[in-house]
Amino acid sequence: MLRDSCWRVGARLCFLRAGVRAAAESGRRALVSCIDPSIGLNEEQKEFQKVAFNFAAREMAPHTAEWDQKELFPVDVMRKAAQLGFGGVYMRTDVGGSGLSRLDASVIFEALATGCTSTTAYISIHNMCAWMIDAFGSEEQRHRFCPPLCAMEKFASYCLTEPGSGSDAASLLTSAKRQGDHYVLNGTKAFISGGGEADTYVVMCRTGGPGPKGISCVVVEKGAPGLSFGKKEKKMGWNSQPTRAVIFEDCAVPVANRIGAEGQGFLIAMQGLNGGRVNIASCSLGAAHASVILARDHLKIRKQFGAPLANNQYLQFKLADMATRLVASRMMIRSAAVALQEEREDAVALCSMAKLFATDECFAICNQALQMHGGYGYLKDYVVQQYVRDTRVHQILEGSNEVMRMLVSRSLLQE
């Protein structure tokens, strides 16, 4: 497989050649020295970063407006991404994963998000779900579920949030009553990315008493009796991925589909979200990077009062602030990714800090870039408005930024 030939099997020239093509084709996303995202990376990381930028420029950017406006879920393009190893970036190689690090994943998701932030965000969620099975599943489960997920022959959705439990996830009500060798699930999950289109649903459900220790994790496969979906939600952004309620009505799921032990589900969910927060922050980073480039180019071209906007010192200072916040966000995200990879005690707090800071700052960067475009920025002919719409939700999901503040303060006060 192409994935095997590209990832960790010694054929690194394929990355380098693709990177050379990317340099010629990146156009408006050409790198600028002080915000160059390759700074600090090793040669191997620079190579697959170039591959991701190339894929974003060729396969995603030309179609992102259409996917957004027609609400298309680009299955074929995501499967092409999977051929490059992007379907299981930090999963183990024996089940088809790329075996890369959390930092590597952040670099890849940032690059892909310059092409289509919404689609990349879904790919990042898919990776999170697949990792949860890879990390906590049995050998039989890993080899049953993970290979088609890594190839994106099947797609995954993360099912934690419910209509009555968002930030208070430990109070979820979806029940799973054991009957012989099956669990019977009843309840509803809300705001599920990929809902109705995904094939594999990683579901947190209550097998025991109240609180986090009563929650277990099960895999529900599309087509299971009693599994249905709500209407497709109409959203401000993230329109290249469907969002629906996932409904369980006496839905029978084999006990063999339980990931980990009974009562371990909340821990599994939170472990997944630590990485998910780094991933989604990296998607914000890609959108912000692209927005800084768009703003810079617009300031050079657009003239008012007889001179380019780039001559206006106020706008120069604004652009400098945008670049500074972008680089600061990147440094925080990459620091958190390393801490997570090393399983350090400060990883949860650092992932929360990175998600909080980067998603707030990167949304502000995109929004400022739109402002610099004036009325043009508000038109759908200009992609900057899509970056604004697609990054806004990153401040809400994977744990709202208010919850991130709770986690950081809890870490400080427990010392």
Side-chain angles (χ1 to χ4, degrees):
M1 293 178 65
L2 177 58
R3 178 177 61 253
D4 295 332
S5 66
C6 284
W7 296 102
R8 297 201 179 283
V9 191
R12 295 298 178 185
L13 283 177
C14 63
F15 279 124
L16 191 56
R17 294 187 184 112
V20 170
R21 292 195 299 269
E25 297 179 14
S26 56
R28 61 184 169 82
R29 293 187 177 85
L31 305 182
V32 180
S33 59
C34 68
I35 62 169
D36 185 346
S38 70
I39 292 173
L41 302 181
N42 62 38
E43 291 307 309
E44 181 179 85
Q45 290 166 334
K46 289 178 182 178
E47 288 173 6
F48 56 68
Q49 182 187 59
K50 289 176 183 178
V51 172
F53 270 121
N54 181 48
F55 186 86
R58 284 188 176 186
E59 302 289 347
M60 301 174 84
H63 310 291
T64 185
E66 180 184 14
W67 296 342
D68 174 66
Q69 292 173 29
K70 295 183 180 179
E71 299 184 2
L72 300 177
F73 191 47
V75 169
D76 291 342
V77 170
M78 288 190 288
R79 285 178 176 153
K80 286 183 181 179
Q83 291 178 348
L84 296 173
F86 300 155
V89 178
Y90 47 94
M91 291 175 65
R92 284 176 275 181
T93 56
D94 66 324
V95 290
S98 298
L100 298 181
S101 72
R102 298 294 187 146
L103 175 57
D104 300 334
S106 174
V107 169
I108 289 167
F109 293 140
E110 177 187 353
L112 291 178
T114 62
C116 182
T117 306
S118 168
T119 302
T120 305
Y122 175 76
I123 293 172
S124 82
I125 294 168
H126 172 92
N127 269 264
M128 177 179 72
C129 293
W131 174 83
M132 290 164 66
I133 299 172
D134 185 37
F136 294 97
S138 66
E139 287 302 302
E140 185 276 330
Q141 290 169 332
R142 292 179 62 244
H143 286 87
R144 174 159 53 109
F145 291 121
C146 292
L149 292 177
C150 290
M152 296 192 104
E153 295 167 4
K154 292 186 176 181
F155 296 94
S157 287
Y158 180 79
C159 299
L160 175 64
T161 301
E162 297 184 0
S165 60
S167 295
D168 185 14
S171 68
L172 65 85
L173 297 176
T174 296
S175 64
K177 305 294 184 183
R178 186 161 181 171
Q179 294 183 4
D181 59 357
H182 282 72
Y183 289 109
V184 178
L185 274 63
N186 281 283
T188 300
K189 298 295 181 178
F191 308 124
I192 304 304
S193 297
E197 300 294 333
D199 309 279
T200 304
Y201 296 85
V202 181
V203 181
M204 309 308 144
C205 51
R206 191 163 299 284
T207 54
K213 293 183 179 179
I215 296 171
S216 298
C217 175
V218 300
V219 172
V220 181
E221 297 176 88
K222 191 174 184 180
L227 173 65
S228 61
F229 307 97
K231 67 177 179 64
K232 184 178 177 182
E233 304 289 358
K234 303 294 289 185
K235 308 190 297 291
M236 171 182 171
W238 270 30
N239 289 318
S240 69
Q241 50 169 297
T243 301
R244 293 184 175 92
V246 177
I247 303 163
F248 307 99
E249 297 173 298
D250 292 329
C251 179
V253 180
V255 171
N257 282 19
R258 187 188 70 225
I259 305 300
E262 279 199 359
Q264 196 181 5
F266 193 76
L267 171 66
I268 294 172
M270 294 303 104
Q271 292 279 343
L273 281 178
N274 287 332
R277 287 161 185 161
V278 172
N279 293 347
I280 213 66
S282 301
C283 292
S284 289
L285 200 55
H289 179 85
S291 294
V292 171
I293 302 299
L294 290 170
R296 179 208 62 180
D297 291 350
H298 183 75
L299 294 183
K300 287 182 175 181
I301 295 169
R302 175 71 168 161
K303 290 185 177 181
Q304 288 290 281
F305 306 104
L309 291 178
N311 290 2
N312 184 294
Q313 191 178 59
Y314 175 81
L315 294 176
Q316 292 172 5
F317 285 5
K318 282 290 184 181
L319 189 65
D321 286 344
M322 292 161 68
T324 301
R325 290 168 177 163
L326 174 70
V327 173
S329 296
R330 182 176 292 129
M331 293 173 70
M332 285 195 73
I333 292 168
R334 293 182 179 179
S335 175
V338 171
L340 187 61
Q341 184 70 32
E342 295 175 351
E343 300 181 351
R344 288 176 7 209
E345 289 185 4
D346 60 349
V348 173
L350 290 179
C351 290
S352 301
M353 288 179 182
K355 196 268 184 183
L356 162 64
F357 185 85
T359 59
D360 278 353
E361 293 299 330
C362 290
F363 173 75
I365 290 168
C366 296
N367 198 40
Q368 182 61 52
L370 187 154
Q371 185 73 14
M372 287 177 166
H373 281 72
Y376 292 105
Y378 203 66
L379 301 179
K380 288 196 173 180
D381 292 335
Y382 289 74
V383 72
V384 67
Q385 51 76 33
Q386 191 170 331
Y387 290 128
V388 172
R389 290 186 292 108
D390 283 343
T391 55
R392 179 59 183 87
V393 73
H394 296 183
Q395 297 168 286
I396 300 171
L397 49 79
E398 311 290 45
S400 70
N401 284 3
E402 290 73 22
V403 170
M404 297 304 98
R405 290 179 171 90
M406 289 170 54
L407 294 173
V408 173
S409 63
R410 182 183 302 165
S411 174
L412 289 168
L413 294 170
Q414 285 177 346
E415 293 182 355

